[in-house]
Amino acid sequence: MLRLLRRLLWLCGMLLGVSFATFAVVDLAPVDRAELAIARAAGDRAFADLDARERAILQLRAQFGMVDPVTLQPAPLGTRYLQWLGNAARLRFAGPNGDHDALWRRIAQAWPTTALLGGLALLLAFGVGVPLGARLGMAAGTAREGVASALLLAFAALPEFLVATLLLLAFGAAGLQWLPVSGLRSPDATTWPAWQQALDSARHLVLPVAVIGVGPLALVARFVRDAVARADRSPWVETMRALGAEPAVLRRRLRRHGALPAATLAGSLLPMLVGGSVVAENAFALDGLGHLAFTAASEQDQPLLLALVTLGAIATLLAFAFADWLHARLDRRAGAA
Amino acid sequence: MKPPRAPVRLLRAPSLWLALALVALGALAPVVANDAPLALRRDGAWSFPAFAELVGRAAVAPDGGGWRDWLALSRPDVVVWMPPVPHGPLATDAALAGVGPSKAHWLGCDELGRDLLARIVHGASALSSLAAPAVALALVVGALLGTWAGLRRGWFEACVLRLVELTACLPLLLFLMFAAAFLGDSATVARLALAALLWPSFARIARAEALALAQREFVRTARGLGVSEARLLFAHVLPQMKGPLATTAAFCVAAAVVAEATLAFLGLATGSASTSWGEMLRSGVERAALGEWRPWAAPAAALTLVVLACHRVAERFRDDPAR
């Protein structure tokens, strides 16, 4: 119980650290939100003179909490951060006077796509990576395993956006046209029967999931391979062999031995999935969080960006905690430590 | 007790030499591919325009215009030595748009008539100007902090570990994207941001290694003999972790190059040189969809070569249980 409490406290501390680091980066930026907003709105209303424009900017700065509303002097970084934090704790990320509902709507619209892609990619990574890694680990040192591992390495090494464009070119309008390359469903899918809609969505998911999942897959397989190869050379396996254990029994034990440490990878794979989803969602025209983050960066939308990083950090921290818990559950030694 | 590792000899690995050669190619790009001459003798005086570019100065032709026009008016008293690839990465020529490989242009030209080979060579500067310095900084900071944390333990170790965990929550690509968008398109910012995100990988490895090494006889003996902490760190512990650190560094260089190319591909430039493989891929994709593969395939192959070379290095120094 105490350990759980300490862990929770620690999670909160980390969250503060991450959000402050991001806040500082965004805040140090030579981007003035007020100037930006004025520049965007300038098409709608022109200002009588420079003075009026200056006043409007000052007003906006006060509204955004960039300056003290009374003295109009720039507020110090700490004050602004605390103000932001206070709002964030109440899940109000859009700034002091922003439209919170609109921001949440954008996130709510985007997250299911990303969660679906990420979940399927994780499933692919572990579902294929663990058995593949176990097989490679048991064959470690042979020539065939060397070739297979080198191929795996090449897959892990390929940049995601290169894979994405290659798939786009291969399956897109100029290529084979076997699989759809944009969106999550066909435009007229709503009129189709349910099973056809499901099939349609599945067909749309193949390429993005492949792009996101191939890197984690190679990583998991490599990790499991090493763990199994190490176990294969350990005294207890030697002993089992000497006692005449069935190869099937040995294989099962070794696989379990390799799969256990892979559980800890689940946490560190999340940042990888984030990078992958930015690339895949942009390449295959999907409206997910990765695309939203890309939009936030290219439009320099500070509140949205801070919200996304904070939510991302919470997800990552939870994933780390979950991985630790899983590892402790699966491996008594880790739990005891 | 684990048996001691085979000694790591960094410079015996061909893959490392390949990777270093690619970094050198990026650093020396202005003298490898340039439309300005390496050496020029005019009116009895020598000048070295391409080398001027190497140290960050502009190589302007004597009449203030482009080199190609100036060199075309060749005069008998002028001696010109051209670089191996006598084309600049930015020199356009409408007459050469989209031409295939030839003797003058080994890889052909892109849709604006820019020499592809010259652009590939200059794109390698992402390695020398961004990835290598950033990873070197991260390596020094991370290895020192991590080793020190592993040897000293206590509150210092706790602080380093917390910082490491904190940075692990920031996805590399996302954070670089934001840094590029908000802190501006500056090479220094990009390098520092990369180093800030990469040092924890080194710190984590170095700490784990230091913890294991601290139990070994030679470290205990050195401690018993009263060797100073600094000497213990630099002379006894750090040299023992060359292998794991080289592996991590190789992975990090690959990650940095890929991240830079990805950002350039997405149209969010980082502080890299004017010519980037990611940017070439971005413009090449549209041509490739029309069936013109060369402008896309050339940077794709270059990027793949760099990443594979880095991974070969990593593989070479990895602690493979099967070996």
Side-chain angles (χ1 to χ4, degrees):
Chain A
M1 192 61 217
L2 198 69
R3 270 187 55 191
L4 193 72
L5 208 68
R6 254 184 66 182
R7 178 103 214 184
L8 219 60
L9 214 66
W10 174 227
L11 277 182
C12 293
M14 297 279 287
L15 215 52
L16 286 183
V18 171
S19 63
F20 184 72
T22 322
F23 191 86
V25 164
V26 171
D27 206 80
L28 281 171
V31 179
D32 189 334
R33 264 181 78 196
E35 295 261 9
L36 216 64
I38 290 281
R40 289 229 174 96
D44 305 333
R45 59 194 162 112
F47 293 99
D49 48 38
L50 276 177
D51 229 30
R53 186 173 181 276
E54 199 62 32
R55 266 203 306 283
I57 285 183
L58 270 180
Q59 209 174 4
L60 272 178
R61 280 189 188 146
Q63 203 183 66
F64 291 151
M66 292 159 69
V67 293
D68 190 300
V70 184
T71 60
L72 292 183
Q73 292 304 307
L77 177 65
T79 321
R80 269 172 300 158
Y81 174 66
L82 286 180
Q83 196 186 16
W84 176 84
L85 193 67
N87 282 320
R90 284 173 284 158
L91 296 180
R92 288 156 52 161
F93 283 109
N97 300 303
D99 187 351
H100 305 288
D101 290 339
L103 191 140
W104 276 112
R105 248 196 322 277
R106 288 178 81 179
I107 293 180
Q109 251 169 22
W111 81 264
T113 308
T114 305
L116 184 65
L117 286 177
L120 287 174
L122 265 187
L123 209 64
L124 175 73
F126 281 99
V128 180
V130 170
L132 182 65
R135 285 202 66 158
L136 289 176
M138 281 176 243
T142 62
R144 271 175 65 191
E145 187 272 345
V147 173
S149 283
L151 273 178
L152 200 66
L153 184 83
F155 263 113
L158 279 184
E160 279 144 343
F161 77 94
L162 214 56
V163 178
T165 39
L166 204 60
L167 291 177
L168 261 178
L169 290 172
F171 291 102
L176 299 167
Q177 305 190 351
W178 284 349
L179 288 166
V181 291
S182 98
L184 209 53
R185 58 186 39 153
S186 302
D188 47 354
T190 39
T191 56
W192 299 351
W195 67 269
Q196 214 168 353
Q197 279 192 36
L199 187 72
D200 180 56
S201 287
R203 274 163 51 86
H204 277 85
L205 281 169
V206 171
L207 294 180
V209 169
V211 167
I212 301 177
V214 73
L217 189 156
L219 201 72
V220 169
R222 150 63 44 89
F223 198 86
V224 173
R225 172 208 178 261
D226 282 6
V228 168
R230 200 170 295 124
D232 204 10
R233 280 151 184 73
S234 62
W236 65 264
V237 177
E238 293 291 315
T239 315
M240 278 183 77
R241 281 220 179 87
L243 289 173
E246 299 265 332
V249 175
L250 209 56
R251 259 207 300 281
R252 206 168 55 235
R253 298 238 173 151
L254 277 174
R255 195 176 309 134
R256 191 171 157 78
H257 214 80
L260 282 181
T264 53
L265 267 183
S268 40
L269 283 181
L270 208 65
M272 235 178 133
L273 293 178
V274 170
S277 72
V278 171
V279 171
E281 284 170 19
N282 273 303
F284 297 106
L286 301 167
D287 284 323
L289 288 176
H291 183 71
L292 199 60
F294 174 73
T295 321
S298 48
E299 288 175 6
Q300 306 197 321
D301 187 341
Q302 299 180 357
L304 178 59
L305 199 137
L306 277 168
L308 287 176
V309 172
T310 312
L311 294 176
I314 294 178
T316 312
L317 286 170
L318 287 180
F320 274 127
F322 174 72
D324 280 358
W325 173 81
L326 196 68
H327 190 211
R329 277 297 298 274
L330 292 174
D331 189 342
R332 304 247 173 78
R333 284 171 305 180
Chain B
M1 193 90 207
K2 257 173 74 177
R5 270 193 211 113
V8 172
R9 296 194 208 292
L10 287 180
L11 296 183
R12 292 274 180 84
S15 45
L16 185 70
W17 284 105
L18 174 62
L20 288 179
L22 286 168
V23 173
L25 180 70
L28 297 176
V31 292
V32 177
N34 208 328
D35 49 1
L38 283 179
L40 174 71
R41 204 177 95 115
R42 192 168 59 106
D43 304 334
W46 284 96
S47 63
F48 306 92
F51 285 96
E53 219 165 280
L54 194 62
V55 293
R57 268 179 296 175
V60 190
D63 63 357
W67 279 100
R68 196 179 333 177
D69 304 331
W70 190 82
L71 290 170
L73 310 165
S74 67
R75 285 165 296 174
D77 61 319
V78 174
V79 180
V80 173
W81 286 7
M82 289 306 281
V85 182
H87 308 284
L90 300 173
T92 56
D93 188 345
L96 289 171
V99 301
S102 65
K103 217 165 187 183
H105 300 275
W106 292 356
L107 291 181
C109 294
D110 66 3
E111 71 277 7
L112 294 176
R114 296 176 293 194
D115 183 65
L116 274 177
L117 184 59
R119 286 175 71 68
I120 294 285
V121 169
H122 279 257
S125 65
L127 261 173
S128 59
S129 75
L130 184 72
V135 172
L137 182 62
L139 171 69
V140 170
V141 172
L144 284 181
L145 284 181
T147 319
W148 201 237
L151 289 180
R152 286 292 297 273
R153 313 298 302 264
W155 63 268
F156 183 73
E157 185 188 28
C159 285
V160 170
L161 280 183
R162 296 299 90 90
L163 268 176
V164 165
E165 282 177 35
L166 203 148
T167 326
C169 296
L170 300 169
L172 178 73
L173 190 64
L174 215 57
F175 204 78
L176 280 184
M177 205 160 90
F178 297 154
F182 283 97
L183 296 181
D185 192 12
S186 133
T188 320
V189 165
R191 272 178 224 144
L192 287 179
L194 252 179
L197 291 169
L198 291 178
W199 76 268
S201 330
F202 294 99
R204 197 182 298 138
I205 298 279
R207 175 185 160 269
E209 288 288 315
L211 279 182
L213 286 171
Q215 303 304 319
R216 296 271 294 273
E217 286 82 359
F218 71 95
V219 174
R220 289 167 145 186
T221 314
R223 276 214 163 117
L225 288 171
V227 165
S228 77
E229 288 281 302
R231 195 176 152 71
L232 185 71
L233 180 70
F234 286 108
H236 298 293
V237 175
L238 271 180
Q240 293 292 319
M241 34 175 107
K242 268 188 297 189
L245 287 181
T247 304
T248 315
F251 273 127
C252 283
V253 168
V257 171
V258 168
E260 191 272 343
T262 308
L263 288 190
F265 180 77
L266 291 175
L268 297 163
T270 46
S272 58
S274 50
T275 311
S276 156
W277 292 338
E279 186 202 309
M280 292 174 73
L281 286 163
R282 178 186 165 79
S283 57
V285 166
E286 291 150 28
R287 314 294 304 174
L290 301 175
E292 197 184 316
W293 282 82
R294 243 175 336 97
W296 183 83
L303 190 60
T304 311
L305 174 70
V306 166
V307 174
L308 281 182
C310 287
H311 277 245
R312 276 319 298 178
V313 175
E315 195 66 0
R316 175 74 168 66
F317 297 116
R318 207 168 61 94
D319 199 10
D320 189 345
R323 265 203 300 263

